[in-house]
Amino acid sequence: MEQKPPTAAIESAHHQRRLPLDDTRDFDDADRGFIAALTPCVVRAADGRIVWDNDAYSFLIGDAPPSVHPSLWRQSTLTAKQGLYEVVPGIYQVRGLDISNISFVEGDSGVIVIDPLVCTEVAAAALTLYRTHRGDRRVVAVIYTHSHVDHFGGVLGVTSQAEVDDGKVAVLAPAGFTEHAVQENVYAGTAMLRRATYMYGTPLARGPQGHVGCGLGQGPSTGEVALILPTIDIQSTGESHVIDGVQIEFQMAPGTEAPAEMHFYFPRFGALCMAENATHNLHNLLTLRGALVRDPHAWAGYLTEAIDAFADRTDVVFASHHWPTWGRDRILEFMSLQRDLYAYLHDQTLRLLNQGHTGTEIAEMLELPPALQNAWHTHGYYGSVSHNVKAIYQRYMGWFDGNPGRLWPHPPEALAARYVDAIGGVGPVVELAQQAYADGDFRWAATLLDHAVFADGTHAAARTLYADTLEQLAYGAENATWRNFFLCGAAELRDGNFGTVGQVSSPAVLAQLSPEQIFDVFAISVNGPRAWQLDVALDVSFADVGANYRVTLRNGVLVHRKISADAVTADVTVRLDTKARLLAVTAGDFTSPGLEVSGDQQVLQAFLGVLDRPDPAFNIVTP
């Protein structure tokens, strides 16, 4: 089925937008310091597969078409700019080679790399571009600003595990980095990545009626993801290190945009890196792919702390996304407005929830003050006022809004069937939705059609109109991730489930799991009802970490604890040369070298038999 053009209601809404169009400073800043572009800006894996294609966004020129919110078109035009840029002499960024930036800080003899992007291939291409124009400086350190994959996954493109092990390259990260980096990519990784496929619009065609970006950047690359563990954990604000002659002053910012995050200042360059806590958009307090709810109160507090500690000696602020801001007056304005943005959302949501309003109601009520509305960098291209307010409500009050009638609703399919039956069947529901569509009330049309499709997922007219409706919502969205969600929903209604695009957990990340984390993964994989009658114990010994564990499974609950090497043995013992070998065992490989199983192997088979595999292609927009 073909896409539909924007309706008159969407075009009219675009024409009525009130935007600060006279403020064009972002275009000057985004172009400032430009040295060279990567031409063509297409990066391939070793097997020839394209893992990054920024040239696909060449259509982002001129005025916004009616199929894209004009504010989002402007943002995408800015984030699609790519190449090597000088931030100040001695600090350089490659932008537009991934959803994030990679930065290079020149020391006395080498270069410090900040945030090596999502994958090996794009990080290597960025380093090559830098060296082509700045010389073949050796990498002396890598800094991970925080624990999200777009800030560490490409590390093998700029260094190697051997160079780190030999002490040639230091790896710095905030305390707690490894735990959070691994947990986020493994524990709920399958569900998050399936939803991230929607959020980032990975399968969508690039173009004015399709994918135009993600607000934070164009999108994530899709190559090899790796992880080298930090050699230096930054523990406290005020901590200072000298790397290759360059002094770095650190500020901890945990629980903000990531559970483990930090800012840092370079006195030599008068430059402040704000990680992902002060970028040119409103960020997420609860990302649509799923995550722990972030703390806007702490976020605002750390921005105030950064202003007090660094602003009066900072000439440029740069971040892990978007373009820098220069000049102390503008830096103070930028950081203060960013701080006020998160503080206002937090404080006003709390004020209104204490007056009895629910998260859904507050999201419709809350309006930003004029100063925040008139600054481009506070617009909701990635996060939104709507879903951030609901996240704050969830953080404090949970999922339940207090109304007993909403305490125990039917699940979506059962609820849909009852609603549709009450209205008179799917046909009348579709008729009501068609009228709402004609009236430009696409939100109501989507609600009706959601019920229609969940009551009868094969109803062709309901699916077609639902896809058309989601498409119109996409055309009207300023928020890039909302647009991508709407368009992906429309695509699956028309063409079927496209599954998950990308790798759930790379072998390199899985290899960094601690034994305890591996057992946690097993625990959340146990099919409880199938395991109700099992009562088994097994011992697992890891030669590489010199540790032994007793694992029990009873009442569908897996418990693990460390034991001494001379403890009484369990029903079955599994001895492994490496942690990674255990993952092979769970996949059914009992013949790999470095594996020894003794005792009752039927116990091991029974244990493995109740572990479920996650489904990377579960339905979202259909039942």
Side-chain angles (χ1 to χ4, degrees):
M1 291 179 280
E2 294 184 358
Q3 288 184 276
K4 302 295 193 301
T7 62
I10 293 296
E11 293 197 49
S12 175
H14 288 336
H15 289 310
Q16 294 173 29
R17 307 286 180 197
R18 295 175 58 190
L19 299 169
L21 295 172
D22 57 334
D23 182 359
T24 60
R25 291 176 296 177
D26 285 339
F27 288 92
D28 296 331
D29 289 342
D31 290 333
R32 179 169 171 171
F34 176 74
I35 295 172
L38 181 66
T39 307
C41 195
V42 178
V43 180
R44 296 179 181 270
D47 61 4
R49 178 175 59 90
I50 293 176
V51 300
W52 180 252
D53 183 1
N54 203 70
D55 291 350
Y57 298 97
S58 59
F59 63 88
L60 286 164
I61 55 173
D63 295 334
S67 56
V68 184
H69 191 294
S71 179
L72 177 58
W73 182 265
R74 175 189 181 277
Q75 180 77 353
S76 296
T77 301
L78 287 162
T79 56
K81 293 177 180 290
Q82 63 89 4
L84 176 67
Y85 296 81
E86 182 181 79
V87 177
V88 293
I91 299 181
Y92 300 84
Q93 283 190 315
V94 172
R95 304 198 287 269
L97 259 69
D98 212 320
I99 192 171
S100 49
N101 300 333
I102 184 171
S103 302
F104 301 94
V105 180
E106 295 177 351
D108 291 349
S109 61
V111 63
I112 301 164
V113 178
I114 302 171
D115 286 351
L117 307 178
V118 172
C119 74
T120 299
E121 296 87 348
V122 291
L127 180 61
T128 298
L129 181 62
Y130 163 78
R131 284 175 167 167
T132 298
H133 298 278
R134 293 298 304 166
D136 194 17
R137 288 175 169 264
R138 71 181 185 92
V139 173
V140 296
V142 177
I143 300 176
Y144 304 141
T145 60
H146 59 291
S147 52
H148 292 153
V149 69
D150 50 325
H151 306 277
F152 67 79
V155 65
L156 292 183
V158 298
T159 189
S160 67
Q161 185 69 60
E163 288 178 309
V164 173
D165 291 343
D166 290 344
K168 296 177 182 178
V169 178
V171 180
L172 294 80
F177 167 86
T178 303
E179 174 189 358
H180 292 297
V182 171
Q183 283 184 359
E184 182 158 314
N185 286 281
V186 177
Y187 285 11
T190 299
M192 283 187 181
L193 190 56
R194 168 69 170 132
R195 280 171 47 164
T197 302
Y198 263 57
M199 176 174 169
Y200 294 119
T202 315
L204 298 174
R206 277 52 179 153
Q209 286 185 254
H211 192 274
V212 298
C214 295
L216 199 62
Q218 293 313 98
S221 59
T222 56
E224 177 195 40
V225 175
L227 174 61
I228 295 178
L229 297 185
T231 60
I232 300 173
D233 291 320
I234 306 302
Q235 299 286 344
S236 59
T237 294
E239 190 172 334
S240 180
H241 291 264
V242 176
I243 306 292
D244 195 26
V246 176
Q247 182 184 4
I248 312 173
E249 300 176 20
F250 292 92
Q251 179 205 1
M252 306 305 293
T256 52
E257 188 272 336
E261 190 147 356
M262 64 186 182
H263 313 144
F264 39 92
Y265 175 74
F266 298 96
R268 176 187 289 190
F269 304 106
L272 174 62
C273 177
M274 288 301 296
E276 203 164 321
N277 285 331
T279 54
H280 290 272
N281 58 202
L282 169 59
H283 214 296
N284 284 304
L285 297 178
L286 178 54
T287 174
L288 299 183
R289 63 177 168 79
L292 300 177
V293 179
R294 297 158 187 174
D295 185 349
H297 183 64
W299 195 323
Y302 287 121
L303 288 174
T304 296
E305 186 176 75
I307 290 168
D308 292 345
F310 305 117
D312 64 354
R313 52 194 177 115
T314 297
D315 298 313
V316 63
V317 166
F318 66 101
S320 303
H321 297 270
H322 301 145
W323 47 94
T325 300
W326 289 267
R328 294 187 182 180
D329 289 343
R330 290 190 61 208
I331 287 169
L332 182 60
E333 175 196 35
F334 170 67
M335 292 181 63
S336 296
L337 286 175
Q338 283 281 303
R339 182 267 318 281
D340 293 349
L341 177 62
Y342 298 105
Y344 190 87
L345 289 175
H346 173 270
D347 297 348
Q348 295 304 306
T349 300
L350 267 290
R351 177 180 67 85
L352 291 167
L353 75 81
N354 278 314
Q355 293 178 356
H357 299 291
T358 67
T360 302
E361 291 167 344
I362 299 167
E364 298 293 315
M365 297 166 65
L366 196 146
E367 186 176 5
L368 295 177
L372 295 179
Q373 292 186 39
N374 292 328
W376 284 112
H377 63 84
T378 60
H379 280 232
Y381 303 116
Y382 195 56
S384 73
V385 170
S386 179
H387 72 255
N388 279 349
V389 162
K390 295 168 189 171
I392 297 168
Y393 187 92
Q394 176 182 320
R395 181 178 178 84
Y396 284 95
M397 303 298 289
W399 61 268
F400 178 45
D401 68 6
N403 185 321
R406 298 165 192 157
L407 180 58
W408 192 33
H410 289 287
E413 287 182 69
L415 189 67
R418 285 163 170 80
Y419 270 123
V420 168
D421 184 61
I423 293 172
V426 175
V429 173
V430 173
E431 290 177 12
L432 288 170
Q434 186 67 66
Q435 185 58 54
Y437 183 96
D439 293 340
D441 191 354
F442 302 114
R443 293 171 70 181
W444 177 230
T447 298
L448 289 167
L449 292 162
D450 175 29
H451 287 314
V453 168
F454 266 68
D456 181 358
T458 65
H459 195 282
R463 290 178 70 108
T464 298
L465 184 56
Y466 194 12
D468 294 347
T469 299
L470 292 177
E471 202 166 60
Q472 296 302 314
L473 287 168
Y475 296 155
E478 182 180 33
N479 184 282
T481 60
W482 285 32
R483 177 186 174 92
N484 293 336
F485 255 87
F486 291 139
L487 289 175
C488 283
E492 288 202 334
L493 286 163
R494 288 169 174 154
D495 302 320
N497 187 315
F498 47 61
T500 291
V501 178
Q503 193 172 30
V504 174
S505 296
S506 74
V509 173
L510 290 174
Q512 303 300 348
L513 288 168
S514 68
E516 291 81 3
Q517 288 172 325
I518 293 174
F519 295 134
D520 284 346
V521 171
F522 289 171
I524 61 179
S525 301
V526 171
N527 184 309
R530 282 215 316 268
W532 284 347
Q533 304 306 316
L534 277 184
D535 188 352
V536 299
L538 58 153
D539 290 344
V540 182
S541 175
F542 299 98
D544 56 343
V545 294
N548 305 287
Y549 293 83
R550 173 72 47 81
V551 180
T552 60
L553 179 59
R554 185 169 180 262
N555 294 324
V557 177
L558 186 148
V559 177
H560 66 272
R561 56 174 62 88
K562 271 190 175 182
I563 59 173
S564 63
D566 58 358
V568 176
T569 58
D571 304 323
V572 64
T573 299
V574 180
R575 295 181 177 86
L576 306 142
D577 58 351
T578 66
K579 295 178 288 141
R581 195 78 63 193
L582 185 55
L583 297 172
V585 173
T586 64
D589 182 359
F590 295 95
T591 61
S592 63
L595 164 67
E596 178 187 336
V597 180
S598 59
D600 188 349
Q601 291 203 20
Q602 289 187 341
V603 170
L604 180 59
Q605 294 282 9
F607 169 74
L608 296 176
V610 297
L611 299 184
D612 273 353
R613 293 187 177 278
D615 179 6
F618 58 80
N619 287 336
I620 291 177
V621 75
T622 57

